[in-house]
Amino acid sequence: MRGATIVIESLLAEGVETVFGYPGGAIMPVYDALYDYRDRLNHILVRHEQGAIHAAQGFARTSGKPGVCFATSGPGATNLITGLADAMIDSTPVVCITGQVASHLLGTDAFQETDVIGISMPVTKWNIQVTKAEDIVPAIARAFYIAKSGRPGPVLVDITKDAQFGDADFKYEYCDSIRSYQPKPKIDQTLVQQAASLINGAARPYLLVGQGVILSEAEQELMEFVEKAGVPVASTLLGLGAFPADHPQYVGYLGMHGNYAPNVLTNECDVLLAIGMRFDDRVTGDVNRYAKQAKVIHVDLDRSELNKIIPAHIGIHGDAKEVLQLLTPMIEKKNHFDWLEQFRLLQEKEDEAVIRNAVAPDSEELRMAEVIHQLSEIAKRDTVVVTDVGQHQMITSRYYKFKNTRTNVTSGGLGTMGFGLPAAIGAKLGAPEKDVVLVVGDGGIQMTIQEFGTIMQFGIGVKVLLLNNNFLGMVRQWQELFFDRRYSFTDIQNPDFVRIADGYHIPALKVESRKALSEGLTAMLNTEGAFLLEVVVEKEDNVFPMMPTGASVAEVRLS
């Protein structure tokens, strides 16, 4: 079988049904082979290779399966790098297959040749260059195993053109182990017993939940533990949805723009249990003043995360689901009503200072928070909400009530503007039975706006909620607060977004008044297929609370 055909057959053997990509010279043999598999493999032609990998990320985040994308050599491959970095830091399983110049041209600066292996090495979990047709199967099999096992991540398989044209016998052999690679470690039960003892003896235990709970499919185990232990639960940005926001023990969202109580009371708990989260700087603030009074229990599948940022009194190297299955039977049934009440009191303080005027403002201009609050009230419980990066992202994380797992898709660690639109395309194809709403700013949408063409061509039913303040809002907020309102190149002149959507045959509506907001949101959600709802919001609206850079979690600003 020709090498290019082996690529396609290998993907089918791995259960792949959807691929995002863009053809070019060095991967043309694979695309030629794909021509005969159009009824078996759904290829989505994006408008830019960055769109391909972000779409693959969105697909992975909603489906739980590795996302797959194709790109050609040179600029095609380098256009994947931002998405690879994004997927790496956010633990998203993606398999990228790139074409490469013929092996005899490697290192000669041939047309569209770049050292994609060297370039991508820091931002992939694993990568490999294949120069012979007979090596394609083992490379792809290993790629899928590495991408989805252990702490997931992106992998890249670079295949030379002569390997694609070459012939080899085809027999697909799945990879289920690699010598020296142990994706799931054996859990030290003594450490679990010690953790249980600390939790059982705690007066003010506190649980921080990260995306690791979602990746290990430990949502039910988490619920059983929480309800037995009676602990307050807060979520990281990527952990939103792992624990339902309407549960009485859920106390809010952590981080720089998170809720007041879960940030401040981090420095009041006596036992801090962190599961599947990595103590990102946006969560901790000044690490020298972070939870110094607490005994820290850290559970993570990646050993390198233990003691990397915050020293753990007990560091448990293990899968979140397996650790919780061991831990919960050791936990005493308790409630912590008085401790939970402290969260409620601080929540009331935030309600009074920030939230009430944000969701029901007394100003004439629409505010971002009221738009997201109304969306949260009327959207279906299992609606997938994708966000780009900026103020709208933080507002959505604060005011949208995520109640189901795998319904929050965002760029966390890298903070990639332009992520949203292609990720929403992938999210919809990964969960076609669910509504998918993209919340995006006027800056971010213009970074990948060409992907409206992908929506148009393939009839992908993404709802786009564009919050337009005619500013690069998050940078402007920092310029206002810390740079004496010197708005240096953050005032952005925008096009007519409704007319652009019309050019792509996407129904669109512009809302500029509070009176029209509810009707606009309803029209967006009820329209079959894609829809763009542009909502003009207050130009200089800010996101509070806010933890300034270098501050302690106890120094969160309410204004």
Side-chain angles (χ1 to χ4, degrees):
M1 187 180 289
R2 196 172 68 166
T5 306
I6 290 174
V7 172
I8 306 300
E9 287 285 355
S10 297
L11 295 179
L12 293 172
E14 287 287 350
V16 175
E17 297 177 351
T18 301
V19 175
F20 306 91
Y22 203 93
I27 201 168
M28 206 175 297
V30 168
Y31 272 87
D32 182 66
L34 184 61
Y35 189 85
D36 296 324
Y37 289 83
R38 288 170 296 169
D39 59 338
R40 298 176 60 190
L41 195 58
N42 182 29
H43 179 275
I44 303 298
L45 177 66
V46 296
R47 298 307 188 258
H48 189 284
E49 291 89 355
Q50 185 176 347
I53 189 163
H54 289 330
Q57 289 177 268
F59 180 92
R61 295 275 283 275
T62 56
S63 70
K65 303 173 184 177
V68 181
C69 63
F70 289 162
T72 194
S73 63
T78 59
N79 282 341
L80 299 176
I81 298 300
T82 295
L84 286 170
D86 194 289
M88 185 69 174
I89 201 167
D90 282 354
S91 305
T92 305
V94 174
V95 176
C96 299
I97 296 176
T98 54
Q100 184 55 276
V101 300
S103 56
H104 72 277
L105 292 174
L106 292 172
T108 68
D109 293 331
F111 177 67
Q112 290 193 333
E113 182 202 357
T114 55
D115 179 9
V116 68
I117 296 299
I119 292 171
S120 66
M121 191 172 291
V123 291
T124 51
K125 189 177 176 184
W126 180 73
N127 65 14
I128 190 172
Q129 187 170 78
V130 178
T131 59
K132 298 178 181 178
E134 57 263 34
D135 294 332
I136 292 174
V137 165
I140 291 179
R142 181 171 284 207
F144 274 89
Y145 175 64
I146 292 172
K148 63 188 179 183
S149 62
R151 180 178 180 175
V155 299
L156 184 141
V157 181
D158 190 47
I159 308 175
T160 61
K161 203 165 184 179
D162 50 325
Q164 297 172 52
F165 276 127
D167 292 321
D169 293 334
F170 176 74
K171 180 184 179 184
Y172 198 77
E173 296 183 2
Y174 298 94
C175 178
D176 57 11
S177 66
I178 298 173
R179 189 175 62 183
S180 79
Y181 172 57
Q182 293 182 314
K184 278 196 178 182
K186 184 178 180 181
I187 297 167
D188 187 334
Q189 296 203 32
T190 301
L191 293 177
V192 178
Q193 291 170 347
Q194 292 173 2
S197 179
L198 275 182
I199 295 165
N200 288 334
R204 299 181 305 280
Y206 185 22
L207 173 58
L208 309 184
V209 172
Q211 188 189 202
V213 169
I214 297 170
L215 296 175
S216 67
E217 300 180 345
E219 295 89 348
Q220 183 58 41
E221 286 79 5
L222 175 68
M223 179 66 73
E224 292 170 3
F225 169 82
V226 169
E227 294 190 336
K228 188 175 182 182
V231 296
V233 182
S235 173
T236 67
L237 174 63
L238 293 183
L240 291 169
F243 192 80
D246 55 355
H247 192 282
Q249 284 168 247
Y250 182 74
V251 295
Y253 162 53
L254 294 162
M256 178 174 280
H257 293 287
N259 294 112
Y260 187 65
N263 277 317
V264 170
L265 292 179
T266 300
N267 281 6
E268 299 293 332
C269 65
D270 56 359
V271 171
L272 184 67
L273 173 59
I275 302 180
M277 56 88 74
R278 57 187 180 84
F279 289 111
D280 177 78
D281 63 289
R282 292 299 169 106
V283 166
T284 64
D286 181 2
V287 295
N288 295 313
R289 292 182 287 164
Y290 182 83
K292 290 299 181 182
Q293 79 295 336
K295 300 289 186 183
V296 176
I297 304 165
H298 190 185
V299 178
D300 206 285
L301 186 57
D302 185 347
R303 183 185 290 278
S304 71
E305 294 295 347
L306 301 176
N307 300 305
K308 185 176 83 174
I309 308 293
I310 300 298
H313 294 81
I314 300 174
I316 301 175
H317 181 210
D319 175 75
K321 187 183 189 81
E322 295 176 359
V323 171
L324 285 167
Q325 288 171 341
L326 293 171
L327 181 61
T328 302
M330 303 177 188
I331 295 298
E332 297 170 2
K333 176 73 174 175
K334 287 191 176 184
N335 65 66
H336 291 280
F337 293 143
D338 292 343
W339 174 225
L340 280 163
E341 183 61 20
Q342 293 186 44
F343 286 88
R344 305 290 172 238
L345 291 173
L346 289 186
Q347 180 62 50
E348 288 179 9
K349 186 175 181 179
E350 182 181 345
D351 287 347
E352 179 67 30
V354 178
I355 294 176
R356 289 172 192 168
N357 189 50
V359 300
D362 52 15
S363 62
E364 289 187 11
E365 293 179 289
L366 283 164
R367 297 192 66 186
M368 293 179 287
E370 65 178 306
V371 179
I372 300 305
H373 175 72
Q374 285 197 33
L375 174 67
S376 184
E377 290 292 303
I378 65 175
K380 296 176 184 175
R381 187 181 180 94
D382 66 349
T383 295
V384 174
V385 176
V386 182
T387 51
D388 204 81
V389 170
Q391 284 184 314
H392 69 275
Q393 177 191 32
M394 296 295 99
I395 288 287
T396 303
S397 303
R398 286 179 47 76
Y399 292 96
Y400 193 90
K401 302 306 179 186
F402 291 94
K403 300 165 187 172
N404 282 31
T405 190
R406 294 195 180 276
T407 55
N408 168 45
V409 178
T410 195
S411 171
L414 199 64
T416 305
M417 288 181 68
F419 170 89
L421 185 56
I425 290 170
K428 179 62 177 176
L429 291 169
E433 74 286 358
K434 296 179 182 179
D435 288 341
V436 173
V437 177
L438 165 66
V439 182
V440 64
D442 47 313
I445 196 169
Q446 292 183 77
M447 288 195 169
T448 49
I449 199 168
Q450 70 276 358
E451 298 307 332
F452 276 149
T454 306
I455 289 174
M456 173 186 68
Q457 182 169 349
F458 295 94
I460 301 168
V462 171
K463 317 296 185 183
V464 180
L465 176 56
L466 168 60
L467 301 183
N468 185 359
N469 58 10
N470 289 286
F471 262 119
L472 301 178
M474 187 59 83
V475 182
R476 185 215 54 78
Q477 177 170 336
W478 279 66
Q479 288 174 337
E480 176 187 337
L481 298 176
F482 306 112
F483 293 88
D484 300 322
R485 301 178 74 98
R486 289 161 58 88
Y487 293 163
S488 181
F489 300 100
T490 47
D491 191 339
I492 183 170
Q493 184 173 338
N494 289 317
D496 186 330
F497 291 109
V498 171
R499 289 180 67 186
I500 289 175
D502 182 63
Y504 286 103
H505 307 295
I506 296 172
L509 181 66
K510 185 174 184 176
V511 167
E512 300 182 79
S513 69
R514 186 164 289 114
K515 182 179 179 181
L517 178 60
S518 178
E519 184 178 335
L521 288 170
T522 301
M524 177 186 74
L525 293 174
N526 290 345
T527 297
E528 186 174 349
F531 193 93
L532 169 70
L533 179 65
E534 178 188 358
V535 181
V536 179
V537 295
E538 184 180 327
K539 280 180 70 71
E540 297 186 55
D541 195 2
N542 288 329
V543 188
F544 286 105
M546 180 179 183
M547 189 195 323
T549 301
S552 160
V553 287
E555 297 172 334
V556 175
R557 292 174 52 170
L558 288 170
S559 62

